Amino acid sequence: MIAPLILASVAVGCQDTDGNDNGKGPGAKSPDRSRTSQSPGGGAGHDDGKESARPSPRSSDRPAGGLTCDQLRNAELQNSELRLPDAPAGSISFTDGRWEGDGIVIELQPQCDIGDMTGDAAPDAVAPIKVTTEGTGRFYALVTWRNDAGTPVPAAAASLGDRTPVESVEISTAPPKQATVVYLTRGDADPAAVVTIRRTAVYRVAGPVMAELHHSDAPYTP
């Protein structure tokens, strides 16, 4: 009887001291990758077509059943129910984050976040787009895609103005469902070619519109 008892004691001693059997047992915890922290964009300076490619603070790697930011790269952007600011009429869908037609180019911007914006508990997506016209205009807009059984469907939008690059987008994790957007803009008396203000604005979905609730401004120097 002594030999079996000795062998059992040795087997117990070989386990990890935290009781999770080298991270593979029932007590092991997988790392939470759903909220990977990244630094928001540090400013784009004047809009010369080289806006920051830094993503928003959270990753697009989301649990099953939610949308991902990568899905937006080939998602529908405009349909009969949603007309985007500064975009031409008709149906528009991205192909690898881009659409072009009638001398207009629309590009999905890298800042993006996932969370419930429509109140149905399904994770939606919010991201900015840039509309480049034949002239000097580079118009930015904010778009919410609702989660339709795992498919992103454009649901609401708001214009951010001409040459106003977005630095970050973050959806609140608790009610009320809101998106905080940080972007660069300018005062009414400033030339259109420069940005002098870093604006932090809060939006909610109100029908087909992303309505601004409030904003705060801080000086910005390129």
Side-chain angles (χ1 to χ4, degrees), residues 64-176:
L67 300 181
T68 68
C69 292
D70 284 343
Q71 283 180 274
L72 303 184
R73 296 187 60 79
N74 294 287
E76 185 179 41
L77 178 62
Q78 179 172 273
N79 54 30
S80 59
E81 297 180 358
L82 180 67
R83 175 69 186 272
L84 297 172
D86 306 305
S91 297
I92 296 176
S93 295
F94 280 130
T95 299
D96 197 22
R98 180 184 172 94
W99 179 90
E100 185 172 0
D102 300 325
I104 295 175
V105 176
I106 304 177
E107 297 168 288
L108 180 69
Q109 301 300 285
Q111 299 79 15
C112 172
D113 200 14
I114 304 296
D116 180 19
M117 288 291 292
T118 58
D120 60 2
D124 307 306
V126 175
I129 62 169
K130 182 175 74 170
V131 181
T132 302
T133 63
E134 291 181 312
T136 60
R138 298 184 185 95
F139 299 96
Y140 287 81
L142 193 65
V143 181
T144 292
W145 284 263
R146 65 178 175 85
N147 186 340
D148 185 0
T151 297
V153 176
S159 175
L160 299 179
D162 183 13
R163 284 168 278 190
T164 53
V166 174
E167 291 190 331
S168 66
V169 176
E170 185 171 1
I171 299 174
S172 63
T173 57

Side-chain angles (χ1 to χ4, degrees), residues 116-117 170-172 174 176-180 202-204 213-214:
D116 180 19
M117 288 291 292
E170 185 171 1
I171 299 174
S172 63
K177 301 305 182 184
Q178 300 172 351
T180 299
V202 178
Y203 292 86
R204 68 177 179 88
L213 299 179
H214 53 82

